[in-house]
Amino acid sequence: PRRNRIISGLARGTLVTEAYEKGGALITARMAAEQNREVFAVPGPVFNDSVKGVHRLVQLGYGKLVHDVEDVLVELGATFGKKAVQVVPEKNMHEDLNALEVKLYNVLNAEPMQINTICTKSGLDPSTALVYLLSLEFKGLVLQMAGKQFYKVS
């Protein structure tokens, strides 16, 4: 476990491709989440015991489901050459927001903000805030960086 904590602390994200329900990979993933690092999960066959831990990560909300390397790079805000990967919002997206999305959107600005700060400023609990921040992300209005940091897309 000591080594797992060091490894997860050095990385911006942890990608779990295989993990039994109890094992070192899950320890590393848990420690990464505790250190506000991103945790990514690659799905596998449902009846394969060696990926049950990966599926559990997704079920518990610790791991982001990814299918390819681009999913990971976009989440980490990686750059390709001089061009950053970003989602460009569509016009008039603000009209389709519910009250909680508007509340969260108004709390955010162009600088990345940690989820704990967002919750304090909005008065929402983390699980509710994360659901609506994800919705804003799907609408192209918000981007998430490593460590559960969010910011408005300008």
Side-chain angles (χ1 to χ4, degrees):
R2 260 198 214 145
R3 189 174 27 211
N4 297 42
R5 181 176 298 285
I6 292 168
I7 290 169
S8 64
L10 291 172
R12 288 180 56 198
T14 299
L15 177 68
V16 183
T17 59
E18 237 182 52
Y20 289 92
E21 288 189 89
K22 293 181 180 179
L26 293 184
I27 293 171
T28 305
R30 182 179 48 83
M31 290 180 176
E34 288 172 2
Q35 296 166 332
N36 290 321
R37 302 294 198 264
E38 295 297 331
V39 178
F40 303 103
V42 177
V46 177
F47 298 108
N48 185 341
D49 287 343
S50 69
V51 295
K52 285 186 177 181
V54 176
H55 296 166
R56 180 70 61 201
L57 282 173
V58 175
Q59 285 178 326
L60 296 174
Y62 288 115
K64 289 185 180 177
L65 189 64
V66 296
H67 296 285
D68 53 36
V69 69
E70 285 79 20
D71 291 342
V72 174
L73 294 174
V74 167
E75 286 296 322
L76 294 177
T79 58
F80 298 99
K82 295 181 182 178
K83 190 175 183 180
V85 175
Q86 286 192 342
V87 178
V88 179
E90 294 180 24
K91 302 284 186 214
N92 302 322
M93 290 294 274
H94 304 280
E95 296 170 5
D96 297 331
L97 302 182
N98 66 38
L100 291 177
E101 290 171 331
V102 169
K103 186 177 203 174
L104 286 166
Y105 187 80
N106 289 336
V107 165
L108 296 171
N109 55 49
E111 293 296 316
M113 191 179 300
Q114 176 61 246
I115 186 65
N116 296 336
T117 305
I118 295 169
C119 291
T120 301
K121 289 184 176 192
S122 68
L124 297 173
D125 62 278
S127 60
T128 302
L130 286 168
V131 167
Y132 289 100
L133 286 166
L134 180 63
S135 177
L136 289 168
E137 193 173 356
F138 284 151
K139 292 176 181 180
L141 299 172
V142 169
L143 283 177
Q144 182 180 171
M145 295 179 60
K148 302 285 185 241
Q149 296 182 69
F150 297 85
Y151 65 96
K152 283 183 184 179
V153 176
S154 49

